[in-house]
Structure formats: C-alpha cells, structure tokens
Amino acid sequence: MAVDSAISSPLGPPACEKDAKALRFIEEMTRNAGAVQERVLADILTQNARTEYLTRFKLNAATDRESFKSKLPVITYEDLQPEIQRIANGDRSAILSAHPISEFLTSSGTSAGERKLMPTIKEELDRRQLLYSLLMPVMNLYVPDLDKGKGLYFLFVKSETRTPGGLLARPVLTSYYKSEHFKTRPYDPYNVYTSPNEAILCPDSFQSMYTQMLCGLHDRHQVLRVGAVFASGLLRAIRFLQLNWEQLSVDIETGDLNQKITDPSLRECMAKLLKPNPELARFVRHECSKESWEGIITRIWPNTKYLDVIVTGAMAQYIPTLDYYSGGLPKACTMYASSECYFGLNLNPMCKPSEVSYTIMPNMAYFEFLPHEPNSSGFTRDSPPKLVDLVDVKVGKEYELVITTYAGLCRYRVGDILRVTGFHNSAPQFNFVRRKNVLFSIDSDKTDEAELQTAVENASQLLREFNTSVVEYTSYADTNTIPGHYVIYWELLIKDAANSPSDDVLKQCCLAMEQSLNSVYRQGRVADNSIGPLEIRVVKNGTFEELMDYAISRGASINQYKVPRCVNFTPIMELLDSRLISAHFSPGLPHWNPERRR
Ligand code: AMP
C-alpha cells in the first residue's frame, strides 16, 4: 500500500516511510549532482591531502577541480602496481589513502594473468550498504507487495587469501556478505531471503548451493523473486537442480539432510527448517523428471514476479536461456558496481534489458568521463585527454569511466565504456556498452586478445613434433551448454599427413590453452564450476579464407581485413561448423590455487 501523497516522490509513490526517505535521497543527490561531485572531490582530497600519492603530484592540499585536473595524471591499474605491491607487502604508511587499507578486493579484471587487487578502506562498506539500501525502494515503485513473500537469491562467498603483508584479499561480495552490515542486517519485510546466512556464508560451494536450493524449494509458494548477481549464476543454479533434484527430493520427503552437507552450523540451521514433506517431494520429482525444462522457474516458483539478475554487458548472451527457463519473466538489472567502487542503480528496473540505463550516484566517488573514440589508439603525454565531468556528458556519446575514490584511487580508468541515454534531474544515465579489451567471457572471466594469442601459441608448441602449426584461429563463447565453455576454431597446416596430431594430442592442446589463461578463468573451471572444458574445433584448410570472402562480400575492405579473434554472428558460426573436421575437449582441470603467484 503506498503511503500518503505528502511524502510522495517524483519517482512515484513510495511503498513505506523508509522508502520515502530513500527516494528523497536519490532526488537530492541527482538534483544537486554537480555540487555533490564538487564536495565529494574536496572531501577526498582533504582526507588524503598528506598521502604519498597526492604529495608526489604537488597538489599542496588544493581541493579544487582545476588543480586536481591539471596535476593528477589519468592512470590504469598497471601504473599503480608498485604502490599496490608495497601495500600488499605490508607497508602501512599513507601511500594512497590516509585511512588504513582494511583489505584488498580482488577484481575479476586481471593484470599479468592474476586478479587485480583493489585497496579499500572500512568506510567504503557504508557507502556500498547505502547503495544497496536504495534498490528495494525503487523496485517497490514498480512491483507491489514484495513484502508479502521472500526472495530466492543464490549468493556465495569465495575463497580468500592473505597478501604477504597479512591483508585479506577477497571478492567484494565475499567481503560484504561476511560483514556485520550483511550478517546482522535488521529485519526488513521487503528484503527477506529464503537462504539463511549459514548457507550463504558456507565456503563449500556444493554445500552452499545445495542448502540454498533446498530452502528455495521448501518456501516455493512464498518466493516472489528469483535472483543471483549475474545471469550466469542463476543458470548455474538451474543446472544444479537438474543434477541434484533426486537427492533434494529425498531430503524433502524424509526431512533428513544429505550426508554430504557436513558443515556443522549449516546442519544445525537446516535441522530447524527441514520437516518431512512427501507432498512437496512428489511435486519436485514430478516437475523435474519431465523431459522439457521449459518454464521450470515459474512451474516450481509460481509466484515469481521477476528475475533479479544482471543481463547487461557480457551477460546479455544468457537472455534467451533465461527466457526459456522462466517463460519470459521480466529481468531486473538493478545496479552497476565494481570492486573499485559501486557506481549507481537502475531507476526503472522493470524495463527491457536493451533499455537498461544506470544512474550514477554522485555521492559514491568523483566521476570523470574520457570521450571514447572507437578508432583512436588512445592518448599520449603530449596530447592529454580532455575528461568531462559527470554533469557535462552529452546524450548519445560514449565515454570510458574514470574514478577517484575515497580509498585512494585517483583518476583511475575503470575500463568500462558507457553511452549516455539521458538524465534523471542533473545526473546522467548510462547504457553499459562493453568492457574495453575483453574479447569474450562466460562468467566473471574476461579474456582479451593477447591472452588468447598466448594461449594458442603455448598450446601449439605441442604440435611441433608433428610438424604441424596453427595457421589461423578464432574463438566463440558457447553458452548453449551450462556451464558455458570456450570454443577455439583452429585451421591447421599439417605437413606430414602420416604423422598428424591425434585426438589425444589435441586434447592436451585444449588443456595447455586452459593452463595459459588467466587465474579468473582457471578458478571458474576448478573451484566455481562456472566454466566447462575448453573445446578445440579443427576446421578444413581454406575455411578462414572463406571467412574473409564472406566478410568482404558484406562490405569489409580487403586491405584492412583482419581475422576476427572472436565470432558470434550466426552465419559465421554456421560457416565454421560446416567445415568442421574434428572436435576435442580438455581432458582435465588446469592448475589453480587461491594463492597468488606474484
Ligand atoms: P569486478 O571488479 O570483478 O567486481 O567487476 C566489475 C565489472 O563488472 C564492471 O567494471 C563492469 O565491467 C562489470 N559490471 C558490473 N555491473 C555491471 C552491470 N550492471 N552491467 C554490466 N556489467 C557490469
């Protein structure tokens, strides 16, 4: 029931007093975006005035935009490596931030094959929490009665390590779920999860998923929304159900928990929830044993109003599969965030995925925008870039996001390309266009052209003794299987047909490629089971020439033609697959351990 119009918001009538406050906050921030940004920059520069970094650039305690922009360089992660390494090694002096670095957040972006380490400070948790607190008040404007049931969210913690200097290094969501902000959150009828904290916080991914699914089945009539952070995560949960519904049904029928669940706190918590329920077990068996799983989400959770998953950016590839399993339920992309900083939220979360625009919240950090010219090679010291402020971006233009955070990142290029779609008050709204330099991805892995090239080179060493080389290659993220997997097309030059590489050798090539890919890929393969075995498809000689002919027939210039290192256009895939000679899958798991190698 909406509250009275006295506290109504331009975004719509709030569902309750608490929502009204959150919506007022959004209005206030977006109306005064320019002033808020100026204040945020001044706060950050005052707070960090004496840090080694700001001192190095002779800011002399200035806090105005002009001094900041003229003295501080625009940087990438690589530029900060020496400072980050010192912090990781235990240097506690005020290098980037005046506040102590509380931990490192491990980004899914990589540098030299390892996850990037993002320094963070304690107070950033409050800022992230603040952004989370705005999501449901916005959602309640579009979907009524979300306080009448629960959310089935598949949420996980991942492994954490310590740097040589003793700081924790873990993903931002692991840090959040393990924080008191999350664990002791006050009861909120609009934000009740089916998963108990014990299940979310269990470090064993099988036990965590199993119990979260069990709780979701148990509460099936109460579930009003189903979600995960990314679309790939929700599909992994569906796959898990496909593989485990029989055992889950046994547990539901008997009220006894699967012996594979060994975590004592999880067993204790599940013992309180599980009661024999033969009728529910019969239902689960009946639905899950049907040949078709079309619409399985709405069959099992009939009151689901929407899926809460990110389907923008690389996740858009999963939309058709989500539609298949959910009968086309709306897919809400609620927020845009990263390990470096949480950026903003979608003020119209029930819109179509292609129309999703994120409104950057001006209180989260100081934001600048580097105009993105798709064909320019970047910038040099002699021609420094002209960065644009948050309120000055132009509708229709593309920019790369550059941030200055309270934790001490200064004019840091995030690597995301955004397009301005409009404004809410004076705060711009953005389509997420893509992440720079990412060729393709399945889950949170991000593989770029150079990594793929190195992987192909390393694998093709194994072909040498067969007098064989890889003449051309391209790649494809195959998401028809769950989990999805990398497909690499190879055209081979086999000089001695009598001694050509066998299936076994090509399988080893698959594994060698996996071994060469970055640690996020290998973690997805080994620990998270979010990526399937890599596949090499060998195609007939001349296939890549045909690919070029095809591109030229569609208007590409002969002189400038380059083999695309990633393909996803159906006619091209069909052409490649119609020239297939053989397919080979990786026979094992690549090496991965949570410790960093550097
Ligand atoms: P990480 O640093 O591993 O947390 O990854 C952050 C990156 O994930 C961002 O910089 C984006 O490239 C991507 N990302 C986060 N949220 C979204 C979103 N809502 N839509 C598309 N991509 C996103």
Side-chain angles (χ1 to χ4, degrees):
M1 197 44 175
V3 293
D4 72 59
S5 57
I7 54 167
S8 190
S9 144
L11 287 163
C16 60
E17 189 58 50
K18 192 162 147 242
D19 285 10
K21 200 171 150 213
L23 299 177
R24 269 200 304 274
F25 179 76
I26 295 173
E27 281 305 300
E28 199 183 301
M29 289 296 122
T30 54
R31 277 211 185 113
N32 304 309
V36 174
Q37 280 284 277
E38 199 164 342
R39 197 198 67 220
V40 166
L41 180 64
D43 278 356
I44 294 174
L45 296 181
T46 308
Q47 189 169 304
N48 292 333
R50 294 215 176 87
T51 56
E52 188 184 312
Y53 193 77
L54 291 187
T55 312
R56 186 187 310 160
F57 292 103
K58 306 204 166 29
L59 203 55
N60 300 329
T63 62
D64 62 294
R65 286 189 221 212
E66 291 65 37
S67 312
F68 174 74
K69 284 178 188 254
S70 64
K71 294 190 172 167
L72 270 291
V74 176
I75 56 161
T76 63
Y77 183 81
E78 274 60 38
D79 298 314
L80 272 189
Q81 274 273 10
E83 285 77 14
I84 291 194
Q85 204 54 54
R86 277 170 57 204
I87 300 170
N89 289 342
D91 190 334
R92 294 280 179 270
S93 59
I95 300 175
L96 298 175
S97 165
H99 288 299
I101 300 300
S102 53
E103 59 182 313
F104 279 112
L105 302 175
T106 53
S107 157
S108 60
T110 53
S111 166
E114 295 288 334
R115 283 175 182 274
K116 291 178 185 167
L117 289 178
M118 296 300 168
T120 190
I121 55 177
K122 257 212 176 99
E123 66 173 56
E124 281 292 286
L125 256 174
D126 301 330
R127 232 166 255 119
R128 286 181 213 122
Q129 170 81 25
L130 176 67
L131 193 66
Y132 282 126
S133 74
L134 306 176
L135 304 182
M136 283 316 286
V138 172
M139 190 50 92
N140 291 336
L141 294 172
Y142 298 90
V143 185
D145 297 331
L146 289 173
D147 56 338
K148 308 285 188 295
K150 299 185 182 182
L152 165 55
Y153 282 81
F154 295 96
L155 306 176
F156 301 92
V157 294
K158 297 200 178 175
S159 61
E160 48 189 44
T161 55
R162 283 194 186 271
T163 66
L167 280 175
L168 269 179
R170 55 190 180 179
V172 62
L173 290 173
T174 299
S175 164
Y176 178 66
Y177 299 145
K178 288 189 165 184
S179 73
E180 292 307 314
H181 289 69
F182 180 79
K183 285 194 295 193
T184 55
R185 61 197 183 277
Y187 174 78
D188 174 355
Y190 289 94
N191 233 342
V192 181
Y193 295 148
T194 54
S195 299
N197 285 358
E198 288 83 348
I200 295 171
L201 294 172
C202 176
D204 180 287
S205 61
F206 174 86
Q207 297 186 46
S208 175
M209 177 76 95
Y210 191 93
T211 46
Q212 294 197 53
M213 187 60 82
L214 198 52
C215 294
L217 293 171
H218 180 270
D219 288 343
R220 79 179 195 95
H221 285 294
Q222 293 175 60
V223 169
L224 303 181
R225 48 202 173 109
V226 175
V229 179
F230 290 112
S232 54
L234 181 54
L235 289 173
R236 204 151 66 244
I238 300 300
R239 178 74 189 145
F240 186 90
L241 183 61
Q242 277 176 339
L243 296 174
N244 293 283
W245 60 265
E246 289 179 59
Q247 182 61 45
L248 286 158
S249 309
V250 171
D251 292 17
I252 294 170
E253 181 164 34
T254 58
D256 294 330
L257 188 61
N258 183 348
Q259 288 305 320
K260 283 193 192 155
I261 310 304
T262 52
D263 182 311
S265 66
L266 200 44
R267 286 201 77 84
E268 190 183 323
C269 142
M270 294 303 291
K272 289 182 204 137
L273 294 173
L274 260 189
K275 303 273 175 302
N277 188 342
E279 194 189 326
L280 177 60
R282 249 193 321 277
F283 170 81
V284 173
R285 285 193 183 108
H286 178 70
E287 289 301 335
C288 293
S289 59
K290 285 183 185 161
E291 196 162 329
S292 166
W293 271 50
E294 190 167 359
I296 193 74
I297 295 181
T298 34
R299 282 195 264 142
I300 296 190
W301 297 284
N303 299 318
T304 314
K305 298 176 186 229
Y306 66 95
L307 303 181
D308 191 343
V309 280
I310 290 176
V311 288
T312 43
M315 291 293 147
Q317 61 190 335
Y318 294 107
I319 293 173
T321 320
L322 284 176
D323 285 344
Y324 176 80
Y325 287 127
S326 72
L329 278 178
K331 293 159 287 296
C333 297
T334 57
M335 71 188 278
Y336 169 43
S338 77
S339 316
E340 294 92 326
C341 175
Y342 278 21
F343 307 122
L345 74 173
N346 180 358
L347 295 178
N348 184 15
M350 297 302 271
C351 69
K352 284 198 243 154
S354 57
E355 287 164 10
V356 172
S357 283
Y358 298 104
T359 304
I360 289 197
M361 287 300 285
N363 59 311
M364 300 302 289
Y366 179 64
F367 299 101
E368 293 175 276
F369 296 84
L370 180 60
H372 176 65
E373 276 124 40
N375 296 320
S376 100
S377 53
F379 54 86
T380 61
R381 284 206 181 275
D382 303 331
S383 64
K386 289 259 179 317
L387 271 66
V388 178
D389 275 326
L390 182 69
V391 293
D392 295 329
V393 295
K394 298 278 176 282
V395 174
K397 289 255 180 291
E398 289 187 6
Y399 300 89
E400 182 183 339
L401 182 60
V402 175
I403 54 171
T404 296
T405 65
Y406 286 86
L409 297 177
C410 269
R411 311 197 88 192
Y412 175 94
R413 295 172 73 165
V414 173
D416 287 349
I417 307 294
L418 309 176
R419 185 184 308 113
V420 186
T421 55
F423 282 79
H424 178 75
N425 297 321
S426 54
Q429 303 184 297
F430 297 91
N431 268 162
F432 180 90
V433 178
R434 63 187 175 85
R435 193 166 168 106
K436 255 178 39 187
N437 299 333
V438 172
L439 202 53
F440 62 116
S441 95
I442 293 285
D443 190 34
S444 54
D445 53 303
K446 298 173 172 68
T447 293
D448 68 23
E449 234 176 283
E451 280 172 336
L452 183 64
Q453 167 81 21
T454 309
V456 171
E457 276 169 15
N458 289 347
S460 57
Q461 300 289 328
L462 302 177
L463 301 177
R464 273 201 184 159
E465 61 175 293
F466 302 95
N467 221 348
T468 295
S469 54
V470 179
V471 275
E472 274 305 353
Y473 67 90
T474 191
S475 61
Y476 164 61
D478 186 347
T479 51
N480 295 319
T481 56
I482 306 176
H485 70 289
Y486 286 21
V487 174
I488 318 295
Y489 289 93
W490 274 9
E491 186 172 317
L492 298 177
L493 179 63
I494 302 174
K495 295 201 185 108
D496 174 8
N499 181 32
S500 59
S502 62
D503 172 51
D504 254 359
V505 171
L506 287 158
K507 280 181 173 160
Q508 289 307 322
C509 290
C510 295
L511 187 55
M513 285 197 72
E514 296 200 294
Q515 210 76 272
S516 310
L517 291 170
N518 63 59
S519 75
V520 181
Y521 174 88
R522 287 178 283 114
Q523 179 174 356
R525 280 283 287 127
V526 178
D528 304 344
N529 197 19
S530 58
I531 307 174
L534 182 143
E535 177 183 1
I536 290 178
R537 292 187 192 162
V538 180
V539 292
K540 285 187 192 146
N541 286 90
T543 304
F544 279 81
E545 229 174 283
E546 285 187 65
L547 207 67
M548 178 171 84
D549 292 343
Y550 179 79
I552 290 165
S553 75
R554 288 174 52 91
S557 137
I558 296 195
N559 294 327
Q560 285 164 280
Y561 177 79
K562 294 179 206 73
V563 174
R565 289 304 177 209
C566 178
V567 293
N568 54 16
F569 183 51
T570 310
I572 291 192
M573 318 292 311
E574 283 171 1
L575 191 155
L576 286 165
D577 283 328
S578 70
R579 306 293 185 271
L580 192 69
I581 298 176
S582 58
H584 316 267
F585 286 90
S586 178
L589 291 173
H591 168 84
W592 178 78
N593 88 46
E595 300 301 326
R596 298 172 66 80
R597 281 179 296 168
R598 285 177 302 121

